[in-house]
């Protein structure tokens, strides 16, 4: 986690000129972009060829930006990898990179395009922002030279960063963020030496920015909200949906609720790799979202949000669950795996009931009522309390009601996309050891349930009316950030012991360059 000293450093290094918020609401836009991909090659293309591809994508982004501005949007977010795609190594990404300066240089690339060398992509983004009087958030690659005096300097003499940029409505570069939490498949980029906490202030609130895989870790994501008090997060992402708990619209909307902020998520649209799911999420409910596995077209979303932070009140996530006795059902527990994590499950055998299932320190309580118990559909209550080792190492506590893929209990936790069982009500709680819990409700065909559930101050996730569609999952997704480091240190020590080999399985939610066609 970020230390107080580093917070002070980052606050100085990335702060913008403060402005007093004068708009109570603003109009936000996100664009799910069907990116035009480069041809796969092991040989770098020329700079001219790279620019030609990027301009084809920028042509599509220009249409979305212009349309959003005409509809009154104040800011638009575009996806990670949205300008050049993926399938790169360190050498083949290089022609697509530009030197992106520190925003403190006070630069409008549209007015002074050659001030920092040849930067046509930044120039075009700046002009799109300026000519449409709209904030533009985009993701491009940054390059920074280094030399032997820097012991961490890569052998090729440069750092390469996965980078988000923000241009204000005058076209000025006001924010630059280097992605900190990289994942497998991003070997073309370097990890910054320190996590950056990047904010920018507008007349419609304070904004923070991070990218894709960052959302699963404390820094910089949680730090932006807890220590820098941002009102809205802008989130370029290239997210592959992973059910049952890490579908894009499911998890991103839950993060907005759990952290009490607006969240503007722009995803790539590439159904072949299960990449879809963008949204404009308020801390009380989704305002607009898009999930489309059928078509190949991009999608522009626009909605109005409150500018100021939302105060949902303090939630004690363990209060209710710790105050009641475990429900006794007589059902036999069983083990099954959800995204490589072994859960402890109980089958829901009746049309209505109260169930408790525990794993380690976590006990999950569920009360529910189905409209009817369908013989060909099985639901289960599950608990997981442990270190997740896929996509990196991070500690989870999860309580989940989910539909099993088939009546075979071994399929509980497998990805399921449709259901027909409707619930009249549900109430889910758990004895969580963290304040960072993200409430998810996902309905059949990957639809959200705006306004159909609430979180109580004593930590219950409950329906306020019968869900509008059949239920796929109802989940409390908890993160114990402090245990990431404790268990990682323990694992590192074991790995260094003689005769011991530590094998870590690593896949990814956000990186696809290695994924087979």
């Amino acid at each position: 986690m970020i230390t107080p000293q580093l917070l002070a450093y980052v606050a100085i290094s990335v702060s913008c000129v403060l402005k007093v918020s004068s708009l109570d609401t603003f109009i936000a836009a996100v664009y799910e972009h069907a990116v035009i991909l480069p041809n796969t090659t092991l040989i770098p293309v020329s700079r001219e060829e790279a620019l030609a591809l990027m301009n084809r994508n920028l042509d599509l982004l220009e249409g979305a930006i212009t349309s959003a501005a005409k509809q009154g949007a104040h800011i638009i977010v575009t996806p990670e990898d949205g300008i050049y795609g993926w399938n790169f190594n360190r050498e083949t990404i290089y022609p697509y990179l530009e030197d992106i300066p520190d925003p403190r240089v006070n630069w409008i690339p549209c007015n002074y395009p050659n001030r920092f060398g040849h930067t046509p992509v930044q120039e075009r983004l700046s002009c799109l922002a300026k000519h449409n009087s709209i904030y533009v958030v985009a993701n491009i690659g940054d390059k920074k030279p280094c030399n032997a005096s820097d012991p961490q300097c890569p052998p090729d003499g440069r750092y390469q960063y996965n980078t988000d940029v923000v241009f204000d409505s005058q076209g000025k570069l006001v924010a630059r963020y280097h992605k900190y939490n990289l994942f497998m498949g991003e070997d073309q980029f370097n990890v910054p030496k320190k996590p950056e906490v990047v904010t920018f202030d507008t007349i419609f609130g304070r904004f923070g920015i991070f990218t894709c895989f960052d959302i699963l870790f404390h820094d910089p994501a949680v730090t932006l909200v807890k220590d820098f008090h941002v009102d809205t997060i802008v989130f370029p992402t290239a997210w592959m949906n992973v059910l049952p708990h890490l579908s894009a619209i499911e998890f991103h909307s839950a993060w907005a609720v759990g952290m009490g902020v607006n969240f503007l998520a722009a995803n790539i649209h590439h159904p072949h790799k299960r990449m879809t799911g963008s949204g404009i999420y308020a801390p009380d409910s989704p305002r607009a979202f898009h999930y489309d596995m059928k078509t190949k077209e991009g999608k522009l979303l626009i909605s109005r949000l409150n500018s100021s932070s939302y105060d949902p009140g303090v939630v004690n996530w363990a209060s209710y669950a710790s105050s009641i006795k475990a429900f006794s059902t007589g059902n036999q527990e069983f083990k099954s795996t959800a995204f490589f994590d072994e859960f402890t499950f109980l089958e829901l055998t009746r049309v209505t009931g109260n169930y408790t299932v525990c794993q380690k320190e976590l006990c999950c309580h569920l009360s529910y009522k189905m409209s009817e118990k369908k013989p060909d559909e099985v639901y289960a209550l599950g608990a997981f309390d442990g270190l997740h080792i896929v996509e990196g190492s991070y500690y989870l506590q999860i309580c989940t009601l989910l539909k099993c893929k088939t009546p075979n209990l071994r399929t509980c936790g497998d990805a399921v996309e449709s259901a027909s069982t409707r619930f009249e009500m549900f109430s889910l709680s758990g004895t969580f050891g963290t304040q960072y819990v993200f409430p998810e409700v996902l309905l059949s065909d990957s639809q959200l349930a705006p306004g159909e559930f609430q979180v109580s101050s004593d930590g219950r996730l409950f329906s306020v009316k019968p869900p509008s569609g059949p239920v796929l999952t109802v989940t409390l997704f908890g993160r114990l950030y402090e245990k990431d480091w404790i268990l990682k240190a323990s694992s590192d020590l074991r790995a260094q012991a003689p005769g011991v080999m530590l094998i870590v399985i690593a896949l990814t939610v956000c990186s696809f360059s290695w994924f087979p066609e």
Side-chain angles (χ1 to χ4, degrees):
M1 297 182 187
I2 294 180
T3 64
Q5 292 81 4
L6 181 54
L7 283 176
Y9 162 78
V10 175
I12 294 171
S13 67
V14 302
S15 62
C16 302
V17 177
L18 296 180
K19 301 177 183 178
V20 177
S21 177
S22 61
L23 293 180
D24 294 331
T25 66
F26 70 101
I27 298 175
V30 302
Y31 182 55
E32 181 162 309
H33 173 45
V35 62
I36 301 169
L37 297 172
N39 295 323
T40 301
T41 177
L42 296 177
I43 301 173
V45 300
S46 68
R47 175 62 173 167
E48 291 71 24
E49 289 175 287
L51 280 172
L53 175 82
M54 290 191 286
N55 277 315
R56 291 175 66 195
N57 279 300
L58 284 165
D59 289 344
L60 296 175
L61 297 182
E62 178 175 354
I65 292 167
T66 302
S67 178
K70 288 180 178 178
Q71 296 178 65
H74 296 88
I75 186 169
I76 183 169
V77 185
T78 62
E80 180 186 26
D81 299 335
I83 292 178
Y84 45 64
W86 50 87
N87 290 330
F88 296 108
N89 59 35
R90 187 169 180 84
E91 290 72 34
T92 58
I93 190 67
Y94 184 70
Y96 297 84
L97 307 181
E98 293 186 356
D99 190 343
I100 305 170
D102 188 312
R104 291 179 297 178
V105 299
N106 192 28
W107 180 42
I108 300 177
C110 190
N111 295 351
Y112 306 99
N114 298 316
R115 182 179 169 189
F116 295 98
H118 187 55
T119 55
V121 175
Q122 292 172 83
E123 177 187 356
R124 187 166 181 188
L125 289 169
S126 170
C127 290
L128 286 172
K130 178 181 177 180
H131 296 157
N132 291 284
S133 298
I134 187 173
Y135 278 72
V136 172
V137 181
N139 176 264
I140 57 179
D142 189 10
K143 58 182 179 181
K144 290 287 179 282
C146 57
N147 55 47
S149 64
D150 177 358
Q152 298 181 41
C153 182
D156 55 17
R158 62 181 182 265
Y159 291 105
Q160 300 180 171
Y161 299 113
N162 180 334
T163 308
D164 298 329
V165 290
V166 183
F167 296 92
D168 71 8
S169 56
Q170 303 301 312
K172 184 169 74 172
L173 177 68
V174 294
R176 179 195 67 186
Y177 168 68
H178 295 140
K179 184 178 180 182
Y180 186 68
N181 295 288
L182 300 179
F183 37 81
M184 290 196 66
E186 275 197 298
D187 296 335
Q188 69 270 34
F189 293 121
N190 298 105
V191 177
K193 294 178 181 179
K194 299 177 181 179
E196 301 170 351
V197 181
V198 176
T199 66
F200 58 99
D201 292 272
T202 74
I203 62 170
F204 45 93
R206 167 168 281 194
F207 285 71
I209 188 167
F210 55 83
T211 312
C212 203
F213 200 43
D214 284 326
I215 196 175
L216 283 167
F217 300 92
H218 188 278
D219 299 326
V222 174
T223 299
L224 278 166
V225 179
K226 294 301 182 182
D227 297 316
F228 286 78
H229 310 292
V230 298
D231 305 301
T232 301
I233 295 292
V234 290
F235 182 68
T237 186
W239 191 281
M240 182 191 295
N241 293 300
V242 180
L243 292 168
H245 302 129
L246 285 173
S247 173
I249 60 172
E250 172 190 30
F251 187 64
H252 302 159
S253 62
W255 203 90
V257 175
M259 297 304 297
V261 292
N262 298 319
F263 196 85
L264 312 182
N267 199 4
I268 289 289
H269 187 77
H270 196 78
H272 178 66
K273 293 188 181 293
R274 301 195 303 278
M275 298 167 70
T276 181
S278 301
I280 299 171
Y281 308 114
D284 58 341
S285 184
R287 294 293 188 264
F289 63 93
H290 178 67
Y291 179 92
D292 173 21
M293 287 290 291
K294 296 179 181 179
T295 69
K296 296 181 179 181
E297 290 76 29
K299 179 70 174 181
L300 177 66
L301 300 176
I302 297 178
S303 188
R304 185 177 293 275
L305 292 167
N306 291 326
S307 299
S308 59
S309 295
Y310 171 81
D311 183 8
V314 177
V315 176
N316 184 337
W317 286 103
S319 177
Y320 177 79
S322 299
S323 69
I324 64 173
K325 293 182 178 180
F327 300 126
S328 178
T329 62
N331 289 18
Q332 185 172 356
E333 294 179 351
F334 64 95
K335 305 288 187 180
S336 192
T337 300
F339 196 35
F340 299 93
D341 296 324
E342 187 178 67
F343 280 66
T344 302
F345 281 108
L346 276 176
E347 180 184 358
L348 310 188
T349 57
R350 302 190 297 270
V351 71
T352 184
N354 302 294
Y355 288 76
T356 297
V357 66
C358 300
Q359 186 179 108
K360 297 181 182 177
E361 301 298 318
L362 178 66
C363 285
C364 304
H365 304 298
L366 172 69
S367 297
Y368 72 94
K369 182 180 180 181
M370 300 175 183
S371 298
E372 63 174 316
K373 181 74 171 69
K374 295 183 178 293
D376 60 338
E377 291 197 333
V378 170
Y379 283 79
L381 172 65
F384 176 74
D385 184 355
L387 184 68
H388 179 82
I389 62 169
V390 177
E391 307 166 350
S393 297
Y394 47 91
Y395 200 98
L396 301 174
Q397 286 186 330
I398 298 176
C399 291
T400 184
L401 158 67
L402 55 75
K403 183 200 169 190
C404 305
K405 188 172 185 178
T406 73
N408 185 336
L409 297 182
R410 292 179 180 272
T411 68
C412 295
D414 288 357
V416 179
E417 297 182 354
S418 63
S420 58
T421 299
R422 292 181 177 268
F423 282 70
E424 294 292 328
M425 62 79 62
F426 59 79
S427 177
L428 180 65
S429 62
T431 56
F432 289 94
T434 177
Q435 63 177 308
Y436 299 110
V437 179
F438 308 108
E440 304 178 343
V441 176
L442 191 66
L443 305 181
S444 184
D445 300 320
S446 291
Q447 295 299 301
L448 299 180
E452 297 176 12
F453 65 90
Q454 290 182 0
V455 173
S456 62
S457 60
D458 60 4
R460 286 172 292 144
L461 168 59
F462 64 94
S463 56
V464 295
K465 56 185 176 182
S468 55
V471 168
L472 288 182
T473 62
V474 175
T475 301
L476 292 171
F477 188 102
R479 278 287 283 116
L480 281 73
Y481 300 107
E482 66 278 7
K483 286 196 173 184
D484 295 355
W485 305 104
I486 295 171
L487 290 171
K488 183 178 185 300
S490 175
S491 296
D492 289 345
L493 287 173
R494 289 197 302 271
Q496 294 169 13
V500 175
M501 179 179 292
L502 179 64
I503 300 174
V504 177
I505 302 171
L507 299 177
T508 181
V509 162
C510 294
S511 179
F512 316 100
S513 61
W514 58 273
F515 206 86
E517 294 289 342

